[in-house]
Amino acid sequence: MPALLNADDYRRGARRVLPRGLFEYIDRGTEDELALQRLRSSLDAVTLTPSVLTGHRERALAIRLFDRDLAAPLVIAPTALAGIVAHDGETKLARAAEAVGIPFCVSTQSITTIETIRAGAPDAMLWFQLYVWHDRALTDRLLDRVAAAGCDCLVLTADTAVAPNREYNRRNGFSVPFEPSVRAVVDGLLHPRWLAGVFGRTWWNGGVPTYGHYPDTYRSSVTRPAMADAVRLDGSIDWNDLARLRDRWTGRLIVKGILSVEDALKVAAIGADGIVVSAHGGRNLDCLPSPADCLPAIAQACAGRIAVLADSGVRRGTDVLKYLALGAEAVQVGRLPLWGLAAGGEAGAVAILRLLLREMDTAMGLLGLREPRELTGRAGGQTPAGHGPRP
Ligand SMILES: Cc1cc2nc3c(=O)[nH]c(=O)nc-3n(C[C@H](O)[C@H](O)[C@H](O)COP(=O)(O)O)c2cc1C
């Protein structure tokens, strides 16, 4: 196996292992993939100005976030279906996060349940990402399970009021729960390592892979249609629902998918603890502005009020440092750990996170910095959208 020296090497490894339908589900954006290009090019355009002769022999990436010590300003972002990228993939991601001392945010749409993940990673820092279901009583029961499993933070995803338009999934015959089609079956047969090691194993242990947190009646193709409406994403959620969630959830509450100062301030006024400035990895709405462009104004408006995190498009350690320099306290990574997981299981997920940490450390050394907070004020460059020079 060739040496895996950067995230793109892991991506190529993931492409070899995974069926095309699943690889593209992870990798691609939405519609014409303009949001994906935009968030990458805006990150590429950011520069960081070094200080020379600072004499730091070592760097310290550790931060404190929500009263917890993190080994680095990183969080594994919630990603649906990690459990079909590798068998029990969510538990493997939780352990990988623990190995490098950062939190892992479990998705509502994970294959593995929060209880199973907790049993497999008893000491991991687990967060939980919430999609509010149409049936609010079911959503409340899910929240009780999440609290009982000892999740520190609840992350409400606010940018997915309806299911996004991803044409490639339909072309590839990719769906969850899995619907047999000639294309999907051939795709699986062409990837025997995945077919036996992930699909076959999951099927052997409990049937066709599907969302672990959905009610049992959703698993059977007979009762699923009756259940489908109850677990539909509830597009009617509004600020009153966030206020109610704030009253109900006693832990930390973060809202993910914020791209305007106005919305960020509303989140702060409701008493939530943080936001994630995010374009959902370019997967939802193709005309979104890039988080790198929106972040400085949002971070400035929220300073001292709520924690500001960011995500979308991180492929290098320098991308993390750029988000930090633009005002984020911590940065989420979505696709990277999935590529590691696909290419090398739990060890692959650990390896790609360590690679990212090494890249961050090297760049910090070259910038002459010791701690992440020293990145403040170092971002420059010109946005491709022509928004003018950064501060
Ligand atoms: C395969 C995949 C599944 C995702 N599923 C979810 C999800 O269930 N809930 C959510 O809030 N975000 C989801 N996201 C978005 C991520 O949380 C995150 O915003 C995004 O991946 C960050 O961009 P990056 O992948 O370029 O790091 C998903 C992203 C990917 C790639």
Side-chain angles (χ1 to χ4, degrees):
M1 181 141 150
L4 302 173
L5 300 180
N6 60 31
D8 214 39
D9 290 342
Y10 283 90
R11 177 175 178 269
R12 273 193 293 275
R15 189 201 282 272
R16 271 195 296 275
V17 172
L18 299 178
R20 180 192 173 120
L22 179 54
F23 176 75
E24 292 201 348
Y25 168 75
I26 293 171
D27 199 60
R28 296 190 63 178
T30 185
E31 296 191 337
D32 303 313
E33 302 187 309
L34 300 174
L36 195 54
Q37 290 167 29
R38 192 176 303 114
L39 62 88
R40 270 304 326 160
S41 55
S42 64
L43 268 177
D44 287 342
V46 178
T47 58
L48 298 175
T49 306
S51 290
V52 297
L53 301 177
T54 53
H56 300 311
R57 205 186 292 271
E58 280 170 5
R59 274 74 53 196
L61 290 176
I63 61 157
R64 200 159 168 80
L65 182 70
F66 302 136
D67 299 326
R68 289 277 211 148
D69 291 319
L70 275 55
L74 282 178
V75 177
I76 297 188
T79 51
L81 311 186
I84 53 167
V85 171
H87 180 256
D88 204 8
E90 287 91 1
T91 310
K92 289 176 176 150
L93 285 182
R95 289 205 208 106
E98 189 185 344
V100 300
I102 64 171
F104 166 52
C105 187
V106 178
S107 167
T108 293
Q109 294 185 331
S110 63
I111 299 285
T112 314
T113 63
I114 188 70
E115 292 85 0
T116 306
I117 299 168
R118 175 53 84 203
D123 299 321
M125 276 183 263
L126 292 183
W127 295 7
F128 191 85
Q129 173 269 329
L130 183 69
Y131 279 135
V132 173
W133 289 325
H134 198 227
D135 184 329
R136 299 297 178 93
L138 273 180
T139 312
D140 280 350
R141 282 211 285 284
L142 178 61
L143 283 178
D144 292 340
R145 290 170 61 186
V146 168
C151 289
D152 276 333
C153 296
L154 186 70
V155 178
L156 174 74
T157 296
D159 62 6
T160 314
V162 296
N165 183 23
R166 301 186 189 139
E167 292 149 16
Y168 50 89
N169 285 342
R170 272 181 277 161
R171 286 194 217 286
N172 290 330
F174 178 80
S175 66
V176 172
F178 176 75
E179 299 285 350
S181 69
V182 175
R183 187 176 278 255
V185 170
V186 171
D187 200 3
L189 290 172
L190 289 172
H191 297 86
R193 177 171 146 194
W194 177 86
L195 189 65
V198 184
F199 188 90
R201 243 175 114 185
T202 312
W203 184 75
W204 184 256
N205 290 329
V208 174
T210 189
Y211 302 121
H213 296 117
Y214 284 37
D216 285 344
T217 35
Y218 188 79
R219 289 167 190 279
S220 142
S221 54
V222 179
T223 47
R224 191 179 310 135
M227 203 58 226
D229 193 48
V231 292
R232 196 163 31 87
L233 302 191
D234 190 343
S236 74
I237 65 164
D238 60 18
W239 294 104
N240 293 324
D241 291 306
L242 179 63
R244 272 192 292 274
L245 193 59
R246 176 63 296 180
D247 288 343
R248 192 180 192 288
W249 177 260
T250 53
R252 302 291 189 163
L253 180 62
I254 302 168
V255 181
K256 174 171 181 278
I258 298 293
L259 287 168
S260 77
V261 169
E262 192 190 351
D263 282 351
L265 292 177
K266 282 186 190 161
V267 172
I270 281 173
D273 301 282
I275 54 171
V276 187
V277 176
S278 166
H280 212 107
R283 297 165 60 79
N284 275 8
L285 178 63
D286 216 18
C287 53
L288 286 182
S290 75
D293 285 340
C294 304
L295 182 56
I298 295 176
Q300 197 178 14
C302 294
R305 302 186 69 180
I306 51 173
V308 176
L309 285 75
D311 79 19
S312 296
V314 169
R315 304 292 177 265
R316 287 276 185 191
T318 45
D319 295 331
V320 178
L321 302 191
K322 288 175 183 181
Y323 274 136
L324 298 176
L326 293 169
E329 278 178 55
V331 177
Q332 296 201 130
V333 282
R335 291 177 180 88
L336 250 62
L338 292 180
W339 292 338
L341 189 64
E346 185 177 326
V350 174
I352 199 166
L353 290 171
R354 293 214 165 115
L355 172 74
L356 191 64
L357 290 169
R358 272 199 308 278
E359 288 182 350
M360 287 166 67
D361 182 68
T362 302
M364 288 285 286
L366 292 170
L367 285 165
L369 305 180
R370 214 185 99 71
E371 292 175 350
R373 67 175 145 202
E374 292 168 5
L375 283 156
T376 310
R378 287 179 187 270
Q382 186 96 19
T383 68
H387 293 167
R390 293 176 190 282

Short mmCIF file of all heavy atoms in Angstrom, two decimals, residues 350-387:
data_model
loop_
_atom_site.label_atom_id
_atom_site.label_comp_id
_atom_site.label_asym_id
_atom_site.label_seq_id
_atom_site.Cartn_x
_atom_site.Cartn_y
_atom_site.Cartn_z
N VAL A 350 -7.72 7.37 13.01
CA VAL A 350 -6.72 7.95 13.92
C VAL A 350 -5.58 8.57 13.11
O VAL A 350 -5.13 9.69 13.38
CB VAL A 350 -6.17 6.88 14.90
CG1 VAL A 350 -5.03 7.45 15.74
CG2 VAL A 350 -7.27 6.32 15.80
N ALA A 351 -5.15 7.83 12.09
CA ALA A 351 -3.98 8.28 11.31
C ALA A 351 -4.26 9.60 10.61
O ALA A 351 -3.41 10.50 10.59
CB ALA A 351 -3.58 7.20 10.31
N ILE A 352 -5.45 9.75 10.03
CA ILE A 352 -5.71 10.99 9.30
C ILE A 352 -5.86 12.16 10.28
O ILE A 352 -5.44 13.29 9.98
CB ILE A 352 -6.93 10.86 8.34
CG1 ILE A 352 -6.86 11.98 7.29
CG2 ILE A 352 -8.25 10.90 9.06
CD1 ILE A 352 -7.77 11.79 6.09
N LEU A 353 -6.39 11.89 11.47
CA LEU A 353 -6.48 12.98 12.47
C LEU A 353 -5.08 13.37 12.93
O LEU A 353 -4.77 14.55 13.09
CB LEU A 353 -7.34 12.53 13.67
CG LEU A 353 -8.84 12.38 13.37
CD1 LEU A 353 -9.57 11.72 14.53
CD2 LEU A 353 -9.48 13.74 13.06
N ARG A 354 -4.21 12.37 13.13
CA ARG A 354 -2.83 12.68 13.54
C ARG A 354 -2.10 13.46 12.45
O ARG A 354 -1.32 14.36 12.74
CB ARG A 354 -2.06 11.40 13.89
CG ARG A 354 -2.63 10.73 15.12
CD ARG A 354 -1.54 10.02 15.95
NE ARG A 354 -2.09 9.72 17.28
CZ ARG A 354 -2.29 8.51 17.76
NH1 ARG A 354 -1.94 7.45 17.05
NH2 ARG A 354 -2.78 8.34 18.96
N LEU A 355 -2.37 13.07 11.20
CA LEU A 355 -1.78 13.79 10.07
C LEU A 355 -2.20 15.26 10.10
O LEU A 355 -1.37 16.18 9.94
CB LEU A 355 -2.26 13.12 8.77
CG LEU A 355 -1.92 13.79 7.45
CD1 LEU A 355 -0.45 13.59 7.13
CD2 LEU A 355 -2.75 13.19 6.32
N LEU A 356 -3.49 15.48 10.34
CA LEU A 356 -4.00 16.86 10.40
C LEU A 356 -3.33 17.63 11.54
O LEU A 356 -2.91 18.78 11.38
CB LEU A 356 -5.53 16.82 10.60
CG LEU A 356 -6.30 18.11 10.43
CD1 LEU A 356 -6.20 18.61 9.00
CD2 LEU A 356 -7.78 17.91 10.80
N LEU A 357 -3.18 16.96 12.67
CA LEU A 357 -2.53 17.60 13.84
C LEU A 357 -1.07 17.92 13.53
O LEU A 357 -0.56 18.99 13.91
CB LEU A 357 -2.63 16.69 15.07
CG LEU A 357 -4.04 16.54 15.64
CD1 LEU A 357 -4.09 15.43 16.68
CD2 LEU A 357 -4.52 17.86 16.24
N ARG A 358 -0.39 17.00 12.84
CA ARG A 358 1.01 17.26 12.47
C ARG A 358 1.11 18.46 11.54
O ARG A 358 1.97 19.32 11.70
CB ARG A 358 1.61 16.04 11.77
CG ARG A 358 2.23 15.02 12.72
CD ARG A 358 3.20 14.08 11.99
NE ARG A 358 2.65 13.45 10.81
CZ ARG A 358 1.88 12.35 10.81
NH1 ARG A 358 1.55 11.77 11.95
NH2 ARG A 358 1.43 11.83 9.68
N GLU A 359 0.20 18.49 10.56
CA GLU A 359 0.21 19.63 9.63
C GLU A 359 -0.05 20.94 10.37
O GLU A 359 0.57 21.97 10.08
CB GLU A 359 -0.84 19.44 8.53
CG GLU A 359 -0.48 18.36 7.52
CD GLU A 359 -1.53 18.22 6.41
OE1 GLU A 359 -2.63 18.81 6.52
OE2 GLU A 359 -1.25 17.49 5.45
N MET A 360 -0.96 20.89 11.33
CA MET A 360 -1.24 22.11 12.12
C MET A 360 -0.01 22.53 12.90
O MET A 360 0.36 23.70 12.95
CB MET A 360 -2.41 21.86 13.09
CG MET A 360 -3.77 21.78 12.42
SD MET A 360 -5.06 21.09 13.50
CE MET A 360 -5.20 22.34 14.74
N ASP A 361 0.65 21.54 13.50
CA ASP A 361 1.83 21.84 14.32
C ASP A 361 2.96 22.44 13.48
O ASP A 361 3.59 23.41 13.87
CB ASP A 361 2.29 20.56 15.03
CG ASP A 361 3.47 20.83 15.93
OD1 ASP A 361 3.29 21.54 16.94
OD2 ASP A 361 4.59 20.36 15.60
N THR A 362 3.18 21.83 12.30
CA THR A 362 4.23 22.34 11.40
C THR A 362 3.94 23.78 11.01
O THR A 362 4.82 24.67 11.07
CB THR A 362 4.32 21.47 10.13
OG1 THR A 362 4.57 20.14 10.52
CG2 THR A 362 5.42 21.95 9.20
N ALA A 363 2.68 24.03 10.62
CA ALA A 363 2.33 25.39 10.18
C ALA A 363 2.45 26.39 11.34
O ALA A 363 2.93 27.52 11.15
CB ALA A 363 0.92 25.41 9.60
N MET A 364 2.06 25.95 12.54
CA MET A 364 2.21 26.84 13.72
C MET A 364 3.68 27.18 13.92
O MET A 364 4.04 28.33 14.21
CB MET A 364 1.66 26.16 14.98
CG MET A 364 0.16 26.05 15.04
SD MET A 364 -0.66 27.61 15.40
CE MET A 364 -0.31 27.77 17.14
N GLY A 365 4.55 26.16 13.76
CA GLY A 365 6.00 26.39 13.91
C GLY A 365 6.50 27.40 12.89
O GLY A 365 7.27 28.30 13.20
N LEU A 366 6.05 27.23 11.63
CA LEU A 366 6.50 28.14 10.57
C LEU A 366 5.92 29.55 10.74
O LEU A 366 6.50 30.53 10.28
CB LEU A 366 6.13 27.57 9.20
CG LEU A 366 6.90 26.28 8.82
CD1 LEU A 366 6.31 25.63 7.58
CD2 LEU A 366 8.38 26.59 8.62
N LEU A 367 4.77 29.62 11.40
CA LEU A 367 4.18 30.95 11.66
C LEU A 367 4.82 31.63 12.88
O LEU A 367 4.55 32.79 13.17
CB LEU A 367 2.67 30.81 11.90
CG LEU A 367 1.82 30.55 10.65
CD1 LEU A 367 0.42 30.06 11.04
CD2 LEU A 367 1.71 31.82 9.81
N GLY A 368 5.64 30.85 13.60
CA GLY A 368 6.29 31.40 14.79
C GLY A 368 5.34 31.52 15.97
O GLY A 368 5.51 32.37 16.85
N LEU A 369 4.31 30.63 16.00
CA LEU A 369 3.29 30.74 17.06
C LEU A 369 3.36 29.54 18.00
O LEU A 369 3.77 28.45 17.61
CB LEU A 369 1.90 30.79 16.43
CG LEU A 369 1.67 31.89 15.39
CD1 LEU A 369 0.26 31.83 14.85
CD2 LEU A 369 1.95 33.26 16.00
N ARG A 370 2.93 29.77 19.22
CA ARG A 370 2.93 28.70 20.21
C ARG A 370 1.52 28.16 20.45
O ARG A 370 1.32 26.97 20.59
CB ARG A 370 3.51 29.22 21.53
CG ARG A 370 4.31 28.17 22.30
CD ARG A 370 4.75 28.70 23.63
NE ARG A 370 3.86 28.23 24.70
CZ ARG A 370 3.82 27.00 25.13
NH1 ARG A 370 4.60 26.07 24.62
NH2 ARG A 370 2.99 26.66 26.11
N GLU A 371 0.54 29.03 20.47
CA GLU A 371 -0.82 28.61 20.84
C GLU A 371 -1.84 29.09 19.81
O GLU A 371 -1.63 30.15 19.19
CB GLU A 371 -1.22 29.22 22.18
CG GLU A 371 -0.43 28.68 23.34
CD GLU A 371 -0.76 29.41 24.64
OE1 GLU A 371 -1.46 30.45 24.58
OE2 GLU A 371 -0.31 28.95 25.67
N PRO A 372 -2.95 28.36 19.68
CA PRO A 372 -3.96 28.74 18.69
C PRO A 372 -4.43 30.20 18.85
O PRO A 372 -4.67 30.88 17.86
CB PRO A 372 -5.12 27.77 18.96
CG PRO A 372 -4.46 26.57 19.54
CD PRO A 372 -3.28 27.07 20.31
N ARG A 373 -4.52 30.69 20.09
CA ARG A 373 -5.09 32.04 20.23
C ARG A 373 -4.19 33.12 19.61
O ARG A 373 -4.64 34.22 19.30
CB ARG A 373 -5.40 32.37 21.69
CG ARG A 373 -4.18 32.48 22.55
CD ARG A 373 -4.50 32.93 23.95
NE ARG A 373 -3.57 32.25 24.84
CZ ARG A 373 -3.76 32.04 26.10
NH1 ARG A 373 -4.85 32.42 26.67
NH2 ARG A 373 -2.85 31.45 26.82
N GLU A 374 -2.89 32.77 19.39
CA GLU A 374 -1.99 33.75 18.76
C GLU A 374 -2.27 33.93 17.27
O GLU A 374 -1.66 34.77 16.61
CB GLU A 374 -0.53 33.30 18.96
CG GLU A 374 -0.09 33.37 20.40
CD GLU A 374 1.24 32.65 20.64
OE1 GLU A 374 1.86 32.18 19.67
OE2 GLU A 374 1.63 32.54 21.80
N LEU A 375 -3.20 33.12 16.75
CA LEU A 375 -3.54 33.26 15.32
C LEU A 375 -4.40 34.50 15.05
O LEU A 375 -4.49 34.97 13.92
CB LEU A 375 -4.31 32.02 14.86
CG LEU A 375 -3.45 30.79 14.60
CD1 LEU A 375 -4.27 29.52 14.71
CD2 LEU A 375 -2.81 30.88 13.22
N THR A 376 -5.01 35.02 16.10
CA THR A 376 -5.90 36.18 15.93
C THR A 376 -5.18 37.31 15.20
O THR A 376 -4.06 37.67 15.55
CB THR A 376 -6.37 36.68 17.32
OG1 THR A 376 -6.85 35.55 18.03
CG2 THR A 376 -7.46 37.73 17.20
N GLY A 377 -5.84 37.84 14.19
CA GLY A 377 -5.31 39.00 13.48
C GLY A 377 -4.29 38.67 12.39
O GLY A 377 -3.72 39.57 11.80
N ARG A 378 -4.05 37.38 12.14
CA ARG A 378 -3.02 37.03 11.14
C ARG A 378 -3.58 36.72 9.77
O ARG A 378 -2.83 36.46 8.84
CB ARG A 378 -2.22 35.82 11.63
CG ARG A 378 -1.33 36.24 12.74
CD ARG A 378 -0.52 35.16 13.32
NE ARG A 378 0.15 35.73 14.47
CZ ARG A 378 1.33 36.32 14.45
NH1 ARG A 378 2.01 36.41 13.32
NH2 ARG A 378 1.85 36.83 15.55
N ALA A 379 -4.93 36.68 9.64
CA ALA A 379 -5.50 36.32 8.35
C ALA A 379 -5.48 37.50 7.40
O ALA A 379 -5.82 38.62 7.77
CB ALA A 379 -6.94 35.84 8.55
N GLY A 380 -5.05 37.22 6.18
CA GLY A 380 -5.09 38.24 5.15
C GLY A 380 -5.52 37.60 3.85
O GLY A 380 -6.11 36.52 3.86
N GLY A 381 -5.21 38.26 2.75
CA GLY A 381 -5.58 37.69 1.45
C GLY A 381 -6.82 38.33 0.91
O GLY A 381 -7.49 39.11 1.58
N GLN A 382 -7.13 37.95 -0.30
CA GLN A 382 -8.25 38.56 -1.02
C GLN A 382 -9.27 37.47 -1.28
O GLN A 382 -8.92 36.39 -1.71
CB GLN A 382 -7.72 39.09 -2.35
CG GLN A 382 -8.72 39.88 -3.15
CD GLN A 382 -8.56 41.37 -2.91
OE1 GLN A 382 -7.52 41.80 -2.44
NE2 GLN A 382 -9.59 42.13 -3.22
N THR A 383 -10.55 37.73 -1.01
CA THR A 383 -11.53 36.70 -1.32
C THR A 383 -11.75 36.68 -2.83
O THR A 383 -11.78 37.72 -3.47
CB THR A 383 -12.88 36.95 -0.63
OG1 THR A 383 -13.44 38.11 -1.21
CG2 THR A 383 -12.71 37.12 0.85
N PRO A 384 -11.93 35.49 -3.42
CA PRO A 384 -12.16 35.43 -4.86
C PRO A 384 -13.46 36.13 -5.23
O PRO A 384 -13.62 36.61 -6.33
CB PRO A 384 -12.24 33.93 -5.15
CG PRO A 384 -12.22 33.23 -3.84
CD PRO A 384 -11.91 34.20 -2.76
N ALA A 385 -14.40 36.19 -4.27
CA ALA A 385 -15.68 36.85 -4.57
C ALA A 385 -15.49 38.36 -4.66
O ALA A 385 -16.42 39.09 -4.98
CB ALA A 385 -16.68 36.51 -3.48
N GLY A 386 -14.26 38.83 -4.39
CA GLY A 386 -13.98 40.25 -4.52
C GLY A 386 -14.55 41.07 -3.37
O GLY A 386 -14.94 42.22 -3.54
N HIS A 387 -14.64 40.46 -2.20
CA HIS A 387 -15.17 41.20 -1.06
C HIS A 387 -14.14 42.16 -0.47
O HIS A 387 -14.35 42.72 0.58
CB HIS A 387 -15.65 40.24 0.04
CG HIS A 387 -16.85 39.45 -0.38
ND1 HIS A 387 -17.30 38.36 0.30
CD2 HIS A 387 -17.68 39.60 -1.44
CE1 HIS A 387 -18.37 37.86 -0.31
NE2 HIS A 387 -18.60 38.60 -1.37
#
